[in-house]
Amino acid sequence: MSAIAVSAAGVLMGLRFKAPALIAATALLVIGSFAWNGLGLPGHVTVTKFLILAFVLACAYIIGLSLSVNWKRKEG
């Protein structure tokens, strides 16, 4: 479920924002992962899961960015 949420956020960011938003979202993902582990909440986030989520975020951002470019190209 987290991969779906992260990919949806990545596509929406790609449609609207540029690269600094991706960097900020990845930083929030890191902070959220460390906070989740530090609090000892159930479902600890491992490094592997974080890397997978970061990769999914980046790929979804690229997809959103390419969709944005294609839509702008068709408009003008």
Side-chain angles (χ1 to χ4, degrees):
M1 191 61 156
S2 59
I4 293 170
V6 168
S7 63
V11 170
L12 292 175
M13 281 188 340
L15 289 173
R16 179 79 175 137
F17 301 108
K18 299 302 173 211
L22 178 63
I23 295 168
T26 304
L28 284 175
L29 190 62
V30 169
I31 292 168
S33 296
F34 285 135
W36 192 270
N37 282 334
L39 294 174
L41 296 172
H44 293 125
V45 180
T46 62
V47 173
T48 305
K49 187 170 181 180
F50 162 72
L51 290 175
I52 290 170
L53 289 177
F55 181 74
V56 167
L57 178 67
C59 290
Y61 175 79
I62 291 171
I63 290 169
L65 194 60
S66 65
L67 288 172
S68 174
V69 168
N70 285 335
W71 283 342
K72 287 180 184 178
R73 189 176 296 167
K74 287 180 183 178
E75 288 176 358

